[in-house]
Every structure is written in structure tokens, then in C-alpha cells.
């Protein structure tokens, strides 16, 4: 059992199969030879039997001879012989395909087999005649004499050449189909069908050209019949073009804006007729405005306005802008607007609400100790009342606490100076009011003002009667006016002075004499001042001074 299974393992299976095939072919040859003997006349049978036996003996002898020779060869020589036999078998197969005669084997075993086949038995005349009459049997696969059991058996297929031709034809057809399909696919990929864009928007053509890689060349012209950006014509439509090929398109710019369009007499035209005229003449820059009018009935013409003063009804062009007004009649307003509560809310909230509802807000301002500045103190129309558009809506808005001017006659000068907020304090001479007494204030006490309008109050306090100090021998004539202004006149005293000149040895221009000094004087006093001429010698100075004093006395 193990020997039987070993025949199906590895290379044993192929060797066993070749042996079985060889035995089968050998049996078939014997069967064919027996059948041929039966068809040959009786007198020729011995001869044919002799031939067959001779052939069998020759074949057996050649097989045994080849086996003996193989037994004496080395492994390398045996491999070389096997390789040569395979080449011979391949050459015979190609020769059979071409219809040529088989070449003789070149191996030693084959040569010995060839020598045994060179001298076949000479057929008798009756056998030659029989061959001429009998049809030749179909060629059977013949195993070469050099083939030994275990070698690959070569079979010759008579239809091989026809199958090979069919194979090449099929391959050629497939190649043509693939080439045609490739060209079709290439054509479909590189070409695109152009739709008819006539009458469509230019934007659609641009979107299509971008998507399909077809550049556009657009020519725009004025056309009264076509709207702006509407396509008039194109160079190719409903045909395929190669991608990248330029497509020419003519698009409309609309009607010519420079074309003169004389305006009709709108006084005799109804509103509907005016709108129809605008559409028919494509005068898109002529606007129709309807507004309420208390003197014109609804639908009546009111006026025509030209944006440019240089344009008239006769010179009007399509590009010029104009407005034609028609009446909607008297506006009837219904009280449908609910008034909300605005007390305590800001002025801006009220203004926003009145603007939204087309009301007129009237704002009055007032001081308030309880309502912050900018917020509503009261409203003229109460919450929940119905009002109509264009009604007036009065409100009172707080400006904050009021400023009441104090009575500074009741405030001492020192206290007023400590609280000098929006206060200007002046000190003035007075013949009747003692030092520190209240003289007056610029704003009447008790008056109220908005905080933003708060005034500056000037308050005057007395510094008593003016005291004239001694200016002699230390004051120059040029300093007199400054001293009298700063010390007296600026403080409410209307004291003036008179200058006279005297001969004196004192430096020229020096005050050497005064009518009053180091004493209180009236606020309207006039002081006489003597000024030195500086023309007397020093030794006479004392005499001159005494003489001057005597003359003044």
C-alpha cells in the first residue's frame, strides 16, 4: 500500500503518469497494426508480420542499447544528453508546425535507433499495390525511440497553427477596441458641448466657461431690445469644441444712455400712463414719487424736478435723473399709537420712540431736586393715550438741582473767602462802611439758575477810609500814577492828584512836597504833589525848602 501511495508523491506522480501514457500509446499502436493486417490480403500477412516483428525487435534492441549506454554515463553526461534530447524534440515540433520533415535525432541512442531504421524490409509488389489502394491511417502520437519511461511525452496538436492565428486576430481586435475606447474617452474628456446662451444672463456663460475651461471673449454693445448683460449672440452653439478654445459672445449694455428721450406733458397723463411710458422708453432714471398733498386730489400731477439744472424736458436724455411727483391726496391719520410711561426715563429714549412713530417731541427743561439731570420729570400726554402720526408729544426734562444765589450781606468776608465757589471777592474803600463790612454783590440774592448756567457772583467788602501815606523824597514823578491806581483807585477810591514843580536841590523829578500825607482822606480827595526841578545848589537847598513851605502856608 505504501508503494502505491508513493507513486502520487512529488515527482513520482508525473513519472507514473508518463509511463501510463507510454504504455497506452504502445497498446494503441499494436491494435492499429492488428487491424491493418486484417485488411491486407492473406498472402501478404506473413510479410507484414515479419515487418512488424522486425520493427518491434529493432525498437526493443534500441531501447535496451540506449538503457545500457545510459548506465555507463556519468551524471553530468546524462544531464547533457537529456538537455540535447529536449532541444531535438522542440525542433521536431516546430518543423511539424511548418510542414517540414523531421530532423534525425543526434543522441547516441537515437543514432543507434536510426541505424536500425535505415534498412527496413523491402515490401513486395503486392504490398505496394495494396498501399496505393488503401487510405493511410491518421497519424498517431508516436513516442520517440529515445524516450525512456519517466520522461515527458511530447504530443503534436495539428490545430495549433490555426489556434495561434485565431489568437493573434482576437488580440488585434481587442487592441483596436481598446484604442477606439481610449480615443473616445480622450475626445469626451478634452471636448465639451457649447449650450445656446442667447437670451441668457452673461453671468451664466461666465460660470459655464469657468467650469468647463473655455475662455470667453465678450463684446458688449448697446441694444434697446435686450436688457443689460443679456447675451445677444455667440460664435458657437450646440456643438462640441475643444477645451481651451476661445468662445466669442456678444452681450447687451442695455439701451444707449446718450439717446435723447423728450419728456411728455405729465399734466395731462395719469399715474399709470406715466409708469407705462417709463417702461416703454426704458427711462429708468426717471422716478415717480407719490406724496400726500392737501391741495391736489389723488393721482394728480404735482411737479417735475430735474437733478441737473441744465436739463429740460426737451433736452432730456436717458442717462439724466429726474423726479415726477404725483399726489396721494390728503393724509388721514388715525390715533393708533399707544403712549408708554416715560417719567424717570432718559430724554434719548423719548426721542427714539417719537422718531420711530413719526411724532414731534417738544422738550422743556426744569430744575429738580429729586430727578437726575437728563431724565423726564413729566409728559404732556399720559400713559395709554392713543395718538396719531405727526402729533406733538411734550415732555419736561430735569436739569438737576437749581443753584440759588446766596445773600452775602449776611456772610462775613472771612467766611466768604473760605467758600469762594463761583465767587469773586473784592475789597473796596468806603467813607461810610467800616472795615470788613458788606458793600454789595453783582447778582441779586435768591435767584435760581441751572447748574450748567450757574453765574459767577462778585461780592465787595469794605476796607474802610483810604489812608494817604507820605510819598516825599522817596517817590519819583513816574511812579505816582501807578501808586494812586493800585493803592486807591482799583479799590474803589476815586482819589486823584495834581502835580506842580518847585525849585529844589533834590534830584529832579522827586516828590518833595504833598498837600496831605500820613492821614485818612476822603474817597474823592485831590492830593497836590510838588516835584523838584533839581536846579538849586545844595547850600541853598534848606533855604529854598523853607521858603516853599512858607509860600504854601
Amino acid at each position: 500500500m505504501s508503494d502505491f501511495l508513493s507513486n502520487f508523491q512529488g515527482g513520482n506522480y508525473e513519472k507514473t503518469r508518463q509511463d501510463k501514457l507510454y504504455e497506452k500509446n504502445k497498446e494503441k499502436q499494436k491494435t492499429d497494426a492488428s487491424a491493418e493486417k486484417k485488411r491486407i490480403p492473406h498472402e501478404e500477412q506473413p510479410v507484414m508480420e515479419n515487418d512488424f516483428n522486425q520493427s518491434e525487435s529493432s525498437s526493443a534492441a534500441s531501447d535496451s542499447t540506449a538503457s545500457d549506454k545510459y548506465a555507463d554515463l556519468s551524471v553530468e553526461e546524462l544531464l547533457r544528453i537529456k538537455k540535447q534530447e529536449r532541444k531535438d524534440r522542440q525542433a521536431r515540433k516546430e518543423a511539424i508546425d511548418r510542414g517540414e520533415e523531421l530532423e534525425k535525432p543526434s543522441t547516441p541512442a537515437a543514432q543507434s535507433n536510426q541505424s536500425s531504421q535505415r534498412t527496413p524490409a523491402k515490401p513486395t509488389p503486392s504490398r505496394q499495390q495494396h498501399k496505393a489502394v488503401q487510405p493511410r491511417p491518421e497519424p498517431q502520437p508516436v513516442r520517440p525511440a529515445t524516450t525512456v519511461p519517466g520522461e515527458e511525452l511530447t504530443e503534436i496538436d495539428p490545430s495549433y497553427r490555426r489556434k495561434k492565428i485565431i489568437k493573434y486576430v482576437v488580440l488585434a481586435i481587442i487592441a483596436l477596441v481598446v484604442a477606439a475606447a481610449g480615443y473616445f474617452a480622450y475626445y469626451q474628456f478634452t471636448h465639451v458641448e457649447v449650450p445656446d446662451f442667447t437670451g441668457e444672463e452673461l453671468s451664466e456663460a461666465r460660470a459655464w466657461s469657468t467650469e468647463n475651461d473655455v475662455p470667453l471673449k465678450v463684446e458688449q454693445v448697446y441694444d434697446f431690445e435686450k436688457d443689460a448683460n443679456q447675451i445677444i449672440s455667440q460664435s458657437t452653439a450646440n456643438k462640441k469644441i475643444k477645451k481651451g478654445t476661445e468662445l466669442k459672445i456678444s452681450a447687451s449694455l442695455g439701451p444707449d444712455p446718450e439717446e435723447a428721450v423728450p419728456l411728455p406733458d405729465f399734466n395731462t397723463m395719469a399715474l399709470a400712463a406715466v409708469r407705462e411710458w417709463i417702461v416703454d422708453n426704458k427711462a429708468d432714471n426717471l422716478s415717480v414719487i407719490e406724496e400726500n398733498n392737501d391741495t391736489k386730489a389723488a393721482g394728480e400731477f404735482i411737479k417735475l424736478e430735474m437733478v441737473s439744472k441744465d436739463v429740460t424736458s426737451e433736452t432730456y436724455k436717458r442717462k439724466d435723473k429726474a423726479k415726477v411727483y404725483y399726489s396721494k391726496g390728503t393724509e388721514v391719520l388715525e390715533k393708533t399709537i399707544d403712549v408708554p410711561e416715560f417719567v424717570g426715563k432718559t430724554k434719548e429714549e423719548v426721542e427714539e420712540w417719537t422718531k420711530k412713530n413719526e411724532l414731534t417731541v417738544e422738550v422743556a427743561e426744569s430744575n429738580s431736586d429729586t430727578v437726575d439731570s437728563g431724565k423726564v420729570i413729566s409728559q404732556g400726554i399720559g400713559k395709554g393715550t392713543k395718538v396719531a402720526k405727526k402729533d406733538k408729544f411734550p415732555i419736561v426734562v430735569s436739569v438737576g438741582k437749581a443753584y440759588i444765589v446766596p445773600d452775602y450781606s449776611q456772610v462775613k468776608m472771612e467766611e466768604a473767602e473760605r467758600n469762594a465757589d463761583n465767587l469773586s471777592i473784592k475789597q473796596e474803600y468806603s467813607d461810610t462802611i467800616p472795615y470788613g463790612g458788606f458793600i454789595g454783590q453783582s447778582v441779586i440774592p435768591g435767584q435760581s439758575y441751572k447748574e450748567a448756567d450757574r453765574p459767577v457772583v462778585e461780592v465787595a467788602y469794605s476796607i474802610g477810609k483810604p489812608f494817604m501815606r507820605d510819598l516825599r523824597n522817596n517817590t519819583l514823578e513816574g511812579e505816582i500814577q501807578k501808586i494812586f491806581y493800585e493803592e486807591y483807585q482799583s479799590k474803589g477810591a476815586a482819589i486823584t492828584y495834581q502835580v506842580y514843580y518847585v525849585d529844589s536841590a533834590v534830584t529832579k523829578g522827586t516828590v518833595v512836597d504833598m498837600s496831605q500825607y500820613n492821614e485818612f482822606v476822603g474817597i474823592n480827595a485831590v492830593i497836590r504833589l510838588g516835584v523838584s526841578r533839581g536846579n538849586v545848589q545844595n547850600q541853598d537847598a534848606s533855604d529854598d525848602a523853607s521858603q516853599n513851605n512858607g509860600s504854601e502856608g
Side-chain angles (χ1 to χ4, degrees):
M1 184 66 180
S2 60
D3 294 339
F4 175 74
L5 293 176
S6 64
N7 293 330
F8 297 93
Q9 296 177 355
N12 293 335
Y13 174 75
E14 182 64 23
K15 181 178 179 181
T16 304
R17 189 182 69 84
Q18 295 291 340
D19 292 342
K20 292 291 184 181
L21 185 61
Y22 173 74
E23 295 294 334
K24 183 177 179 181
N25 291 335
K26 189 173 181 181
E27 291 294 332
K28 188 175 181 182
Q29 288 178 359
K30 290 181 179 181
T31 304
D32 293 340
S34 300
E36 186 178 357
K37 286 180 181 180
K38 291 178 181 180
R39 290 195 299 269
I40 298 173
H42 179 70
E43 61 274 13
E44 295 182 359
Q45 286 183 1
V47 177
M48 293 185 67
E49 288 178 357
N50 273 337
D51 293 341
F52 182 75
N53 293 332
Q54 186 177 359
S55 175
E56 282 292 325
S57 61
S58 175
S59 176
S62 62
D63 287 344
S64 61
T65 305
S67 299
D68 295 340
K69 291 182 178 181
Y70 284 147
D72 297 336
L73 295 176
S74 63
V75 176
E76 290 80 4
E77 292 177 348
L78 182 60
L79 291 176
R80 181 179 57 78
I81 292 171
K82 296 293 183 181
K83 185 175 180 181
Q84 184 62 38
E85 289 176 352
R86 283 195 295 272
K87 288 183 179 180
D88 292 342
R89 286 197 297 272
Q90 185 65 28
R92 285 196 298 273
K93 181 178 178 181
E94 293 177 358
I96 291 172
D97 290 342
R98 294 193 299 269
E100 298 176 357
E101 184 180 359
L102 296 175
E103 294 182 358
K104 302 303 179 179
S106 58
T107 60
Q111 289 176 359
S112 62
N113 190 22
Q114 181 180 3
S115 62
S116 64
Q117 292 178 359
R118 284 179 183 174
T119 56
K122 188 178 294 186
T124 60
S126 60
R127 185 175 180 180
Q128 292 177 351
Q129 292 175 359
H130 178 72
K131 284 184 177 180
V133 175
Q134 295 295 329
R136 292 185 63 182
E138 293 183 1
Q140 299 294 330
V142 179
R143 180 167 181 160
T146 57
T147 303
V148 297
E151 283 191 325
E152 183 181 357
L153 181 63
T154 302
E155 297 183 8
I156 300 172
D157 186 1
S159 62
Y160 173 76
R161 187 174 184 182
R162 181 173 60 85
K163 291 179 179 178
K164 195 171 184 180
I165 294 173
I166 293 173
K167 174 183 174 183
Y168 290 147
V169 171
V170 171
L171 291 176
I173 293 173
I174 292 174
L176 289 175
V177 171
V178 170
Y183 176 77
F184 179 77
Y186 169 77
Y187 183 85
Q188 293 294 328
F189 182 75
T190 58
H191 290 70
V192 63
E193 185 173 355
V194 181
D196 189 358
F197 292 109
T198 304
E200 302 294 336
E201 291 292 326
L202 180 60
S203 58
E204 295 185 19
R206 292 189 186 280
W208 179 88
S209 67
T210 302
E211 182 180 354
N212 293 279
D213 195 20
V214 176
L216 285 185
K217 183 179 181 181
V218 181
E219 179 185 3
Q220 292 189 296
V221 296
Y222 292 112
D223 191 307
F224 184 82
E225 301 298 330
K226 298 286 187 181
D227 294 334
N229 294 321
Q230 197 172 25
I231 296 176
I232 303 171
S233 62
Q234 60 190 85
S235 59
T236 304
N238 298 322
K239 292 182 180 179
K240 285 195 173 185
I241 61 173
K242 189 174 182 180
K243 292 183 179 180
T245 304
E246 186 178 74
L247 177 62
K248 297 180 180 179
I249 285 181
S250 177
S252 173
L253 288 171
D256 188 358
E258 296 293 336
E259 183 181 357
V261 186
L263 298 179
D265 185 6
F266 294 113
N267 279 306
T268 61
M269 296 179 67
L271 180 59
V274 174
R275 295 185 188 278
E276 185 178 354
W277 183 89
I278 292 174
V279 173
D280 292 342
N281 291 273
K282 296 189 176 182
D284 297 333
N285 288 323
L286 180 62
S287 303
V288 177
I289 299 175
E290 295 182 85
E291 63 181 16
N292 295 110
N293 192 286
D294 296 335
T295 60
K296 296 283 186 179
E300 286 189 9
F301 170 76
I302 300 176
K303 61 181 177 179
L304 173 66
E305 285 185 357
M306 296 291 184
V307 175
S308 175
K309 296 181 179 179
D310 299 332
V311 180
T312 63
S313 298
E314 292 75 20
T315 62
Y316 179 81
K317 294 181 181 180
R318 189 173 281 110
K319 69 177 182 179
D320 297 326
K321 293 184 178 182
K323 298 177 182 179
V324 56
Y325 291 84
Y326 274 79
S327 173
K328 293 197 297 183
T330 303
E331 185 177 10
V332 178
L333 301 175
E334 296 182 1
K335 294 182 181 297
T336 58
I337 304 171
D338 289 326
V339 177
E341 180 65 62
F342 287 110
V343 175
K345 295 185 178 180
T346 62
K347 174 185 173 183
E348 289 74 15
E349 291 180 79
V350 180
E351 290 176 340
E352 182 180 355
W353 178 80
T354 53
K355 182 178 180 181
K356 178 180 178 182
N357 292 281
E358 299 181 24
L359 299 175
T360 303
V361 63
E362 293 181 342
V363 180
E365 294 180 338
S366 177
N367 296 306
S368 175
D369 294 338
T370 58
V371 180
D372 294 337
S373 177
K375 292 188 176 180
V376 177
I377 300 173
S378 63
Q379 58 190 70
I381 302 174
K383 175 183 177 182
T385 307
K386 298 282 187 180
V387 295
K389 290 182 179 180
K390 298 185 179 180
D391 282 355
K392 295 180 180 180
F393 187 71
I395 59 173
V396 178
V397 179
S398 171
V399 291
K401 293 181 179 182
Y403 172 71
I404 307 299
V405 179
D407 184 2
Y408 287 100
S409 64
Q410 306 300 319
V411 180
K412 293 182 178 182
M413 182 172 63
E414 294 79 6
E415 185 180 351
E417 288 177 347
R418 287 195 300 268
N419 300 297
D421 186 15
N422 277 38
L423 183 65
S424 176
I425 299 176
K426 294 179 66 177
Q427 292 180 333
E428 297 180 357
Y429 290 107
S430 175
D431 290 336
T432 59
I433 300 173
Y435 182 88
F438 175 77
I439 297 175
Q441 63 186 72
S442 62
V443 182
I444 299 174
Q447 286 189 348
S448 63
Y449 291 90
K450 298 176 184 178
E451 188 64 31
D453 299 334
R454 182 176 177 178
V456 176
V457 181
E458 293 183 359
V459 181
Y461 287 94
S462 174
I463 54 175
K465 296 178 76 172
F467 181 83
M468 181 59 64
R469 65 184 178 88
D470 188 3
L471 302 178
R472 295 177 304 169
N473 296 322
N474 58 8
T475 304
L476 297 177
E477 183 180 7
E479 299 172 343
I480 295 173
Q481 58 182 350
K482 179 180 179 181
I483 292 171
F484 272 78
Y485 175 77
E486 290 181 352
E487 296 184 8
Y488 304 106
Q489 294 172 359
S490 64
K491 296 179 181 180
I495 299 175
T496 59
Y497 62 91
Q498 292 179 352
V499 176
Y500 65 92
Y501 297 95
V502 296
D503 295 329
S504 174
V506 180
T507 304
K508 181 181 179 180
T510 303
V511 176
V512 294
D513 193 19
M514 293 180 65
S515 60
Q516 290 178 284
Y517 58 90
N518 291 336
E519 60 179 280
F520 289 103
V521 296
I523 59 174
N524 294 317
V526 177
I527 307 300
R528 289 175 56 80
L529 302 174
V531 178
S532 172
R533 291 191 179 95
N535 57 355
V536 179
Q537 297 294 330
N538 291 334
Q539 61 270 21
D540 299 331
S542 59
D543 295 336
D544 292 338
S546 61
Q547 291 178 2
N548 288 335
N549 291 333
S551 63
E552 289 293 332

